[in-house]
Amino acid sequence: MNRLAVYCGSATPAEPRYIELAREVGRTLAERGIGVVYGGGRLGLMGAIAAGALEAGGEVIGVIPHALANSEVANHDCTELRTVSGMHERKQAFTDLSDGFVTIPGGVGTMDELWEAVSWAQLGYHTKPVGLLNAFGFYDHLIAFNRHMAEVGFVRPAHQGIIIDADTLPDLLDKMAAYQPHTPIFQMQASEL
């Protein structure tokens, strides 16, 4: 994996461990020679991801919509800052520029990015690993909900392994490196759906 899209919050939670985690994720990726593709912001976890990677000499590509770039939240310290017309173009750029996706703690926007990466994998728009860093147990309920969707029958057996989760970044990166793409819906027969 040469580059990973990192999905995370632009907020700064009261607990400093989230900012510290983001900075460590950026630093670790850079130290492993993995470039970071992210939302292009300088605030919150986004800014910490970029700072950690840049401080460690890593490549950081920010992708930010015009509306946010113009509101003075854009991070001009990135190796490259791409400005796009909107959120759809932003997420497409994340997919085009990366070899996989890592989601760390975040809010609604982070969930939107994660679920779109999962949905696109399920359909067959990409065959890249979708990682979920469950630091501090932040995503315990989300992992349980995903399992519940599968148990009820809303996630096909072939797609139950799309979300790769781990509690630590090294474990997550190892699992992502071993990921074997599943059969996407676009390649399935009607009887399999």
Side-chain angles (χ1 to χ4, degrees):
M1 296 179 289
N2 295 316
R3 286 187 190 138
L4 289 174
V6 180
Y7 299 145
C8 61
S10 61
T12 302
E15 288 188 53
R17 67 183 181 169
Y18 292 105
I19 293 293
E20 292 165 11
L21 170 71
R23 188 176 288 275
E24 181 59 29
V25 167
R27 181 174 29 259
T28 300
L29 292 176
E31 288 170 351
R32 288 182 175 221
I34 300 171
V36 171
V37 180
Y38 85 115
R42 62 179 175 79
L43 305 176
L45 273 70
M46 273 194 202
I49 281 277
L54 290 167
E55 288 166 6
E59 174 192 45
V60 176
I61 300 174
V63 183
I64 192 165
H66 290 294
L68 291 174
N70 294 333
S71 68
E72 299 181 9
V73 299
N75 185 352
H76 295 282
D77 293 332
C78 295
T79 309
E80 180 182 349
L81 183 63
R82 295 184 181 200
T83 305
V84 295
S85 61
M87 296 302 283
H88 293 295
E89 293 80 10
R90 181 193 222 181
K91 289 184 283 187
Q92 183 66 57
F94 290 153
T95 302
D96 293 343
L97 293 168
S98 71
D99 301 311
F101 312 88
V102 171
T103 300
I104 68 171
V108 173
T110 305
M111 290 300 91
D112 174 54
E113 292 162 345
L114 168 66
W115 288 115
E116 185 159 297
V118 171
S119 177
W120 285 15
Q122 199 172 255
L123 291 168
Y125 286 114
H126 72 77
T127 58
K128 302 171 183 183
V130 179
L132 183 67
L133 183 57
N134 189 27
F136 321 121
F138 186 82
Y139 286 118
D140 284 350
H141 296 291
L142 183 84
I143 293 165
F145 178 65
N146 191 56
R147 187 171 43 252
H148 175 68
M149 287 191 296
E151 289 167 356
V152 171
F154 286 112
V155 178
R156 293 168 184 83
H159 304 138
Q160 291 175 11
I162 290 175
I163 294 179
I164 302 164
D165 67 271
D167 297 340
T168 68
L169 185 61
D171 287 346
L172 183 60
L173 293 175
D174 288 346
K175 288 181 177 182
M176 290 174 69
Y179 173 70
Q180 294 295 315
H182 57 279
T183 303
I185 288 174
F186 292 157
Q187 294 177 3
M188 292 180 154
Q189 303 297 318
S191 62
E192 299 173 291
L193 300 174

